[in-house]
């Protein structure tokens, strides 16, 4: 999907705009996001995910070919963390897969597996997920 | 910035009502979500691209109890920052706060 297709979707689904207006408004959405992120501020889109600017310290990297150490300067990088909602949409059969995986591994009886699944789904939010 | 603040900013910037801006912003993220749901990536020039990555099932562990937990296969959205935005985000560090939009020093990494 490209920006042009997003503009088409806005033009068709929202309606009341010309194609040119739809293009300008979609452009404004991404331009606004870029400016906010350039300022170092994070963006939280509920149901989609969070865009977070992270401060990285200087560290020593290595040239993978030669193994020679190279300094990697301190920098700010942008990361995206998808929301649980978006993850859920991409994995509609998660519960079945989970149960099947548990069964195959012979780790937990079904009742307990469902309980454990719920607990971990609730616990992997915000902070303790991927660093 | 939250989604509703983004909506306010877009409304102001394009001189449309907040409710119209809300419809547009929602439509944008819905369109992006359904693209990812179909397994199709998204490319926004100057901003970045989203791709769907497939992960195989593996055996993980509950970090609290140490108990092995089977993790089923899954699909996750992956965002790769576009070159322009990557530079914008890093700009204050590289060039001070004067906001000079030069094109020097591009493409030094990877």
């Amino acid at each position: 999907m490209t920006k042009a297709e997003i503009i088409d979707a806005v033009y068709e689904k929202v309606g009341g705009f010309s194609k040119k207006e739809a293009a300008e408004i979609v452009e404004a959405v991404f331009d606004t996001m870029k400016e906010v992120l350039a300022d170092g501020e994070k963006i939280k889109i509920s149901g989609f995910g969070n865009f977070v600017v992270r401060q990285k310290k200087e560290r020593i990297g290595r040239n993978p070919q030669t193994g020679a150490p190279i300094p990697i300067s301190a920098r700010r990088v942008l990361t995206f963390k998808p929301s649980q909602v978006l993850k859920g949409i991409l994995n509609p059969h998660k519960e079945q897969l989970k149960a099947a995986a548990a069964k195959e591994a012979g780790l937990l009886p079904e009742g307990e597996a469902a309980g454990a699944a719920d607990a971990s789904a609730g616990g992997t939010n915000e902070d303790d997920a991927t660093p | 910035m939250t989604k509703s603040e983004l909506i306010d900013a877009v409304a102001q910037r394009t001189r449309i009502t907040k409710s119209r801006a809300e419809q547009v912003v929602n439509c944008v993220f819905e369109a992006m979500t359904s693209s990812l749901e179909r397994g199709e990536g998204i490319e926004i020039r100057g901003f970045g691209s989203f791709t769907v990555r497939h992960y195989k099932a593996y055996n993980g562990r509950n970090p609290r109890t140490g108990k092995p937990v089977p993790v089923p296969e899954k699909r996750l959205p992956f965002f790769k920052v576009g070159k322009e935005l990557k530079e914008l985000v890093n700009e204050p560090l590289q060039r001070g706060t004067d906001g000079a939009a030069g094109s020097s020093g591009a493409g030094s990494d990877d």
Side-chain angles (χ1 to χ4, degrees):
Chain A
M1 170 172 270
T2 61
K3 195 156 63 185
E5 289 169 80
I6 295 175
I7 291 165
D8 286 346
V10 168
Y11 175 72
E12 280 159 29
K13 288 185 186 148
V14 179
F17 297 121
S18 67
K19 264 254 168 87
K20 186 163 172 273
E21 286 167 330
E24 281 168 8
I25 300 165
V26 169
E27 213 63 70
V29 172
F30 290 109
D31 285 348
T32 303
M33 291 175 72
K34 276 197 250 179
E35 288 167 16
V36 168
L37 294 168
D39 280 346
E41 197 188 325
K42 73 171 157 192
I43 299 179
K44 302 196 277 190
I45 306 294
S46 63
F48 191 77
N50 298 347
F51 295 88
V52 185
V53 177
R54 288 185 178 277
Q55 178 73 53
K56 298 283 194 181
K57 287 190 189 133
E58 187 182 65
R59 66 191 168 91
I60 305 296
R62 272 181 200 285
N63 179 333
Q65 231 113 64
T66 66
I70 323 165
I72 298 175
S73 61
R75 62 189 62 204
R76 295 205 302 186
V77 297
L78 176 59
T79 60
F80 172 69
K81 188 173 177 234
S83 81
Q84 294 295 330
V85 175
L86 181 55
K87 286 193 204 172
I89 289 169
L90 293 193
N91 299 282
H93 307 300
K94 188 184 171 194
E95 290 314 316
Q96 285 107 292
L97 288 170
K98 226 169 192 170
K103 223 176 187 177
E104 198 166 307
L107 287 167
L108 296 165
E110 239 151 68
E112 222 183 320
D118 286 349
S120 66
T124 45
N125 285 332
E126 300 302 308
D127 292 332
D128 46 342
T130 44
Chain B
M1 172 176 262
T2 61
K3 190 164 82 176
S4 68
E5 287 166 339
L6 174 62
I7 289 163
D8 289 350
V10 169
Q12 249 184 11
R13 193 170 183 142
T14 59
R15 303 213 177 88
I16 59 175
T17 63
K18 279 186 190 177
S19 75
R20 297 290 278 156
E22 182 173 17
Q23 288 177 303
V24 172
V25 169
N26 283 336
C27 182
V28 168
F29 289 107
E30 278 162 21
M32 290 168 70
T33 300
S34 64
S35 177
L36 294 172
E37 187 178 9
R38 292 193 302 272
E40 190 191 322
I42 305 162
E43 191 189 329
I44 313 287
R45 278 289 158 79
F47 188 82
S49 58
F50 296 84
T51 49
V52 179
R53 290 195 172 176
H54 296 252
Y55 293 85
K56 285 183 191 147
Y58 63 95
N59 284 312
R61 269 177 201 283
N62 179 333
R64 210 157 294 168
T65 63
K67 254 191 184 172
V69 183
V71 179
E73 60 176 351
K74 62 188 166 190
R75 298 194 302 169
L76 289 178
F78 176 81
F79 175 67
K80 183 165 189 289
V81 196
K83 195 177 166 198
E84 185 194 338
L85 184 54
K86 188 177 184 177
E87 286 170 6
L88 278 174
V89 163
N90 201 27
E91 204 166 65
L93 276 181
Q94 300 300 312
R95 287 167 222 153
T97 43
D98 57 24
S103 55
S104 61
S108 56
D109 44 15
D110 292 274

